[in-house]
């Protein structure tokens, strides 16, 4: 590795130095030499006192955990479903089916009711609709957030992985039971035993068979 720049510390910057010089400075001052960035040209290191290094390490770990959480949240898609406060039964069923599908796929679901103009008078009905929707979704989702104050009220549901897996296991058991039943029905009936041939026929067959084998030999 070539020169290191700058070797920063709680004190003013040291500047561009070689690796051996950076290590020597750390040893002479009883400091910890840590990497800040390898992407720079030259790379950037910092000299820490022990207590400051522990704080720095804690902050880096905290930052990493936050980034991981954001990454998970980003991978989990957010699907939006819109409804009117007076939605009919068919459209309601379509949205409920879609919500279940999205949740099983691991996505969040945001259910929204947009109240326009005088429709704001029916906010109570809209809130009851969202609560009914949440209840119909059942245990396969839990509430993450909601907003019942604005005109565009909404409810965000996140998948309950344990409940979804339990439901899937039960469906698999039912499918297995049906397959076993179908296979049982397809089994052919036992045929009646064939009556034994008379002894004379057996003897004749034995003789023919023996002669045939003797001819081949």
């Amino acid at each position: 590795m070539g020169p290191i720049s700058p070797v920063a510390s709680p004190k003013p910057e040291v500047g561009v130095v070689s690796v051996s010089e950076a290590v020597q400075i750390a040893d002479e001052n009883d400091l910890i030499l840590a990497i800040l960035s390898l992407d720079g040209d030259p790379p950037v290191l910092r000299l820490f006192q022990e207590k400051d290094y522990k704080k720095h390490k804690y902050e880096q770990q905290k930052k990493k955990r936050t980034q991981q959480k954001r990454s998970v949240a980003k991978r989990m898609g957010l699907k939006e479903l819109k409804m009117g406060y007076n939605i009919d039964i068919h459209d309601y069923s379509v949205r409920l089916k879609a919500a279940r599908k999205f949740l099983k796929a691991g996505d969040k679901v945001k259910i929204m009711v947009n109240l326009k103009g005088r429709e704001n008078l029916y906010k109570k009905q809209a809130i009851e609709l969202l609560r009914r929707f949440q209840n119909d979704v059942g245990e396969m989702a839990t509430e993450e957030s909601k907003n019942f104050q604005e005109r565009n009220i909404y409810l965000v549901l996140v998948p309950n992985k344990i409940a979804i897996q339990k439901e899937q296991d039960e469906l698999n058991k039912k499918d297995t039971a049906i397959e076993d039943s179908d296979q049982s029905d397809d089994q052919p009936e036992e045929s009646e035993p064939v009556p034994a041939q008379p002894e004379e026929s057996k003897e004749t067959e034995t003789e023919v068979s023996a002669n045939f084998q003797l001819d081949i030999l």
Side-chain angles (χ1 to χ4, degrees):
M1 184 182 292
I4 305 296
S5 169
V7 180
S9 69
K11 297 179 181 181
E13 293 179 358
V14 176
V16 179
V17 298
S18 66
V19 175
S20 59
E21 288 177 310
V23 173
Q24 183 179 356
I25 293 172
D27 290 341
E28 290 177 351
N29 294 275
D30 195 22
L31 298 173
I32 297 174
L33 185 63
I35 298 173
L36 287 188
S37 173
L38 291 176
D39 297 330
D41 185 20
V44 181
L45 306 184
R46 171 171 288 178
L47 293 166
F48 288 95
Q49 293 182 356
E50 185 175 358
K51 62 178 182 179
D52 293 327
Y53 176 71
K54 289 181 178 179
K55 182 179 179 181
H56 167 75
K57 191 174 182 179
Y58 171 78
E59 292 295 335
Q60 292 299 310
Q61 291 174 342
K62 184 178 178 181
K63 182 178 179 181
K64 184 178 180 180
R65 287 194 296 268
T66 301
Q67 290 175 341
Q68 289 175 341
K69 289 180 180 179
R70 288 176 179 174
S71 178
V72 171
K74 188 175 181 180
R75 289 197 302 270
M76 181 183 288
L78 177 63
K79 306 297 184 181
E80 295 185 351
L81 297 173
K82 297 181 180 181
M83 300 189 294
Y85 75 93
N86 56 349
I87 187 171
D88 60 46
I89 296 176
H90 176 265
D91 289 343
Y92 179 87
S93 300
V94 170
R95 284 161 179 74
L96 182 61
K97 184 178 180 180
R100 287 178 167 273
K101 179 182 178 181
F102 294 145
L103 290 166
K104 286 182 179 179
D107 295 322
K108 296 182 182 181
V109 177
K110 183 178 183 179
I111 311 100
M112 299 180 292
V113 178
N114 186 13
L115 301 172
K116 300 177 181 179
R118 295 177 61 85
E119 289 182 352
N120 196 46
L121 297 173
Y122 300 97
K123 178 179 285 188
K124 182 178 179 180
Q125 290 92 319
I127 294 174
E128 290 175 351
L129 176 65
L130 290 179
R131 287 305 187 191
R132 172 190 165 194
F133 194 93
Q134 181 181 14
N135 184 65
D136 289 342
V137 168
E139 295 182 352
M140 68 186 307
T142 57
E143 179 183 314
E144 181 186 65
S145 61
K146 65 177 182 291
N147 180 13
F148 292 165
Q149 302 302 320
E150 307 297 331
R151 285 184 177 271
N152 298 329
I153 65 175
Y154 65 83
L155 181 68
V156 178
L157 303 176
V158 295
N160 182 347
K161 295 182 179 179
I162 296 177
I164 291 174
Q165 185 60 49
K166 182 179 178 181
E167 180 178 319
Q168 187 61 45
D169 290 342
E170 291 177 353
L171 290 174
N172 291 339
K173 287 180 181 180
K174 289 181 180 179
D175 291 341
T176 302
I178 293 173
E179 289 178 2
D180 292 342
S181 176
D182 291 342
Q183 290 178 1
S184 178
D185 293 339
D186 292 339
Q187 292 292 334
E189 296 182 359
E190 294 184 1
S191 57
E192 296 182 359
V194 178
Q197 294 181 351
E199 292 296 329
E200 293 181 359
S201 299
K202 288 185 178 180
E203 291 177 358
T204 304
E205 181 180 352
T206 302
E207 291 175 358
V208 173
S209 176
N211 293 333
F212 181 75
Q213 292 178 9
L214 183 61
D215 291 342
I216 293 178
L217 293 172

